[in-house]
Amino acid sequence: MQTYKQNLKNEAREKLVKHAIQSLTDERHSSFLVSQEHFIKMTDHFNKMFFKFLGNKNFEYINQYNWLFSSERNNWLKFYKEKCKSKLASELKVLYLSGPEPSNDIEILCNNGIILENIWAIESDKKIYKEALKSLIENKIHIKLHRGSLAEFFELTNHEFDIVYFDACTPIISTQQSPLEIIKQLFVNKRLTGLSTFITNFAEPGDNYNWGDILATWFATKEFYEVPSVDDEFGMSPLEKSSSFPLYSSFINQHLDSYYDTFLTHFIPTIASEIIPMWQLSSLGSVQSNHLLNEQLLQKELKIIKSDKINADNSDKILKEIPHYILSIDSYPLLNWVRLINNNLPKDHALRQFINSSRKKMTIEDALYIGSLLKRFEEVDSGFNTFIHNICGEGLKEIITNLDFFDRNMNLTCDIPMKNLLIELLLGIYGHSYIAHTEKTIGIKYKAKNTWMYSNVFVFDQCRYLYDFLPTLDLWESFFENISHQTIIRGCIDEIRRNHLHLNNSLFKWGFIEGIYGEFSHCTLSGRINLNIENN
């Protein structure tokens, strides 16, 4: 029988598993995106700026507000502590892909405090399952070994796991397996706990696809933290990249390792924090009927929005007719990602199949159009063709139009708090976002036999201490009248963005209270460790 005990693979496995367990136990306090210490410091800082704006003439109001805010913050801190309890390694529930020698992973897990009763191993191949079963029986190791599809297991069982170890052994987009389907089912069905780790291991790109085309659809919509440094050599804006797609694709193929590495690190956190939550929210029939349009009208509007035919005959008319999402590619990154997929990849492509995944007649593609447009609610009165009101129900229009953070026009903070923050709070309530911690994200690269493997550990926080603090949308105007509530929300948003910024720049954009290079810093992303170089 072929052995999987390769030194580099074992070293990678040990590093990944140890980091995952430590992040959820000994280092659990620092794995949550919001910490009690930073929250108190930031909300105190925010209030000082607010009081300075009010001036000495409002001394009585400031005293009253201080008393009210102290009470509200103490109540929220109690709520936070209930959501952010500690855990021992023996309490963590783990799932991994078995393979023929499941004891390899079991030994590492148990050496780091995981108990057998909390371990699940999944194997879909009948022959390999029998080998794994025989190995477990011979070694008298009694875990839960399940024969079946991992995607189906996530879809149809009700188990939640603290750690999921997905050793795909294929590229992230593959004709052999369905890694995207497995990742989709993991997050759609909320199979990870409130604070959890997702370990991934993918092979280098194969020759089954034109990877330049695949990655160009993603990176043509991105800037700053989310592109590899080599992208600067291409020297074009997102609009130029998307309009020069074949040229950009060719450039990416020349630097495939850098782009693939970066894609793996950023794509999965974006699936968890935005793509799936947008799909969850948009698929809810009650959300459609109460806050958007009815199904038939919504589909009709989406068809119009997706059409980018221009009939105008002069520049002024063209600017009014052309969709704003085409003029400002990086302002609508996910919308333009699916648009570029449809324009540049064949119909039977795995990415096309992924974005055509449907729940209650709502595809991921349609959901990303809806979610992306809602996040740009601020552009409604810009004079451009934004389509935003085309998808909103009257109630949603009224609430989001009328509602603003109280300090919007006070110029207190680094960022002016825009309406996208409100939309993203709504997405978090209904979509159950999983948001990755930048500093806790690690990447490893090693060559197993003749194939380079790319591994990551992502530490995800559902941030229910923020989203569950909020009522549902129809109660927001009443809830936001209490500016203590708003300050608590702003304190959470600020730190979530600081700790997630380098993984997904578009989440909670315009959410900083203070800048990132002074007293209040931010997390940066570590480079991928090459074990082959490290061991030479």
Side-chain angles (χ1 to χ4, degrees), residues 205-257:
D207 55 8
N208 52 328
Y209 291 119
N210 181 338
W211 282 89
D213 284 353
I214 290 171
L215 299 177
T217 64
W218 182 259
F219 288 109
T221 72
K222 303 291 184 181
E223 282 191 309
F224 306 121
Y225 312 110
E226 297 174 78
V227 296
S229 57
V230 71
D231 199 73
D232 290 342
E233 294 178 19
F234 191 70
M236 288 190 182
S237 69
L239 179 59
E240 291 169 323
K241 289 174 186 175
S242 61
S243 59
S244 306
F245 191 87
L247 188 63
Y248 189 44
S249 170
S250 176
F251 179 83
I252 288 175
N253 275 326
Q254 294 168 36
H255 305 277
L256 190 52
D257 176 70

Side-chain angles (χ1 to χ4, degrees), residues 31-49:
S31 293
F32 289 104
L33 288 162
V34 173
S35 67
Q36 180 175 310
E37 295 80 6
H38 183 280
F39 175 81
I40 291 172
K41 188 176 179 182
M42 182 56 78
T43 50
D44 282 346
H45 177 69
F46 180 82
N47 283 337
K48 283 179 184 176
M49 293 189 292

Side-chain angles (χ1 to χ4, degrees), residues 150-169:
L150 183 55
E152 181 190 58
F153 185 85
F154 286 148
E155 183 179 9
L156 298 176
T157 70
N158 292 319
H159 292 282
E160 270 192 346
F161 297 93
D162 298 278
I163 300 172
V164 169
Y165 189 168
F166 180 32
D167 191 355
C169 296

Side-chain angles (χ1 to χ4, degrees), residues 348-367:
D348 61 349
H349 197 282
L351 265 182
R352 290 282 291 268
Q353 293 172 9
F354 174 72
I355 66 171
N356 285 323
S357 300
S358 181
R359 299 182 79 201
K360 296 186 176 180
K361 301 181 182 179
M362 176 63 65
T363 65
I364 289 178
E365 177 191 346
D366 288 346

Side-chain angles (χ1 to χ4, degrees), residues 481-536:
E481 286 175 2
N482 184 336
I483 64 174
S484 296
H485 291 162
Q486 294 194 37
T487 304
I488 289 168
I489 292 167
R490 295 286 299 287
C492 290
I493 287 175
D494 175 273
E495 192 172 7
I496 291 170
R497 181 156 172 77
R498 282 174 197 279
N499 288 327
H500 185 69
L501 175 66
H502 280 255
L503 290 172
N504 179 10
N505 183 38
S506 71
L507 187 72
F508 285 131
K509 201 164 190 175
W510 316 118
F512 284 133
I513 290 173
E514 194 54 82
I516 59 175
Y517 296 112
E519 179 184 358
F520 299 95
S521 60
H522 70 298
C523 289
T524 55
L525 192 61
S526 299
R528 191 177 296 274
I529 300 167
N530 187 328
L531 293 185
N532 291 72
I533 293 176
E534 209 175 60
N535 283 277
N536 283 340

